[in-house]
Amino acid sequence: MARMKFICDAERCIECNGCVTACKNEHEVPWGVNRRRVVTLNDGVPGEKSISVACMHCSDAPCMAVCPVNCFYRTDEGVVLHDKDVCIGCGYCSYACPFGAPQFPSQGTFGVRGKMDKCTFCAGGPEEHGSQSEFEKYGRNRLAEGKLPACAEMCSTKALLAGDGDVVADIFRTRVIQRGKGAEVWGWGTAYGSKPGAQTNGAKS
């Protein structure tokens, strides 16, 4: 079974925010919540880099560990989802996530903001696939339709890759070898850990 993962290639991201717009349009994300955002490092400085950030669907997700009501669960494809009917809006997950993925509507305080919202890897939620209730709570279930997340499909430079983790890693590895640098992709080690014996100091074979 494939493990679905994201990678953003900072060497290709041009900060167009196409991925952000695609996500909000595809799922009709509520005002004040951004399931995906583009962050620029060293903005205005020569050599600045931009990366598209969302839930990384971690193998050892801290949001799952801290949730007091266990509303988080992992699908067979490795996608971390949550049940809004169980969520109590405590906000623990938003503090635990190193990527700032879980978010709440911007109005009010924790506990009265309603339900947490996060990137679903376009995999919907626990409701019946393709149902109106699933769309209203979690957005469109593109994975059930045999499609990839809208953000990755919309990326004009293919900086944002999504899909089977092994395939995505092979694509990025090929790019690194061709460039001869940039072996450490931002966020990968934090979210997924490093394979024992893996080299991180270059693209040497």
Side-chain angles (χ1 to χ4, degrees):
M1 180 66 69
R3 287 179 59 219
M4 296 298 177
K5 299 296 178 185
F6 281 121
I7 282 184
C8 183
D9 187 347
E11 298 292 331
R12 288 193 174 208
C13 182
I14 58 175
E15 198 184 358
C16 69
N17 281 282
C19 54
V20 178
T21 303
C23 177
K24 292 187 75 71
N25 182 69
E26 187 78 1
H27 304 298
E28 298 182 8
V29 179
W31 181 260
V33 172
N34 287 310
R35 293 183 177 180
R36 179 166 290 282
R37 63 194 186 282
V38 176
V39 177
T40 299
L41 308 176
N42 300 320
D43 195 8
V45 178
E48 70 178 33
K49 302 292 184 185
S50 294
I51 47 176
S52 181
V53 183
C55 176
M56 296 291 278
H57 302 279
C58 304
S59 299
D60 186 17
C63 56
M64 296 181 68
V66 301
C67 180
V69 294
N70 295 319
C71 77
F72 289 90
Y73 64 98
R74 183 178 288 105
T75 69
D76 292 338
E77 294 85 10
V79 179
V80 177
L81 299 175
H82 68 295
D83 188 337
K84 289 189 176 183
D85 291 334
V86 176
C87 175
I88 59 175
C90 67
Y92 286 2
C93 54
S94 64
Y95 288 114
C97 177
F99 304 104
Q103 298 178 31
F104 293 79
S106 58
Q107 303 298 321
T109 57
F110 284 129
V112 297
R113 292 183 175 184
K115 307 300 183 179
M116 177 272 288
D117 192 89
K118 66 178 283 294
C119 162
T120 64
F121 208 90
C122 288
E127 310 287 338
E128 181 183 354
H129 293 335
S131 66
Q132 184 62 28
S133 60
E134 180 186 50
F135 179 79
E136 290 175 354
K137 291 180 182 179
Y138 308 99
R140 185 175 169 192
N141 190 339
R142 292 173 58 89
L143 256 60
E145 299 172 4
K147 301 176 181 178
L148 290 174
C151 55
E153 288 199 351
M154 182 61 68
C155 183
S156 59
T157 63
K158 300 306 175 190
L160 183 59
L161 302 174
D164 184 334
D166 292 335
V167 175
V168 167
D170 285 342
I171 294 172
F172 186 76
R173 185 180 300 109
T174 300
R175 292 181 183 179
V176 169
I177 292 172
Q178 291 175 346
R179 289 196 295 251
K181 63 183 180 66
E184 174 59 24
V185 60
W186 186 88
W188 183 269
T190 302
Y192 312 133
S194 299
K195 292 182 179 179
Q199 291 183 340
T200 58
N201 60 348
K204 299 178 181 179
S205 58

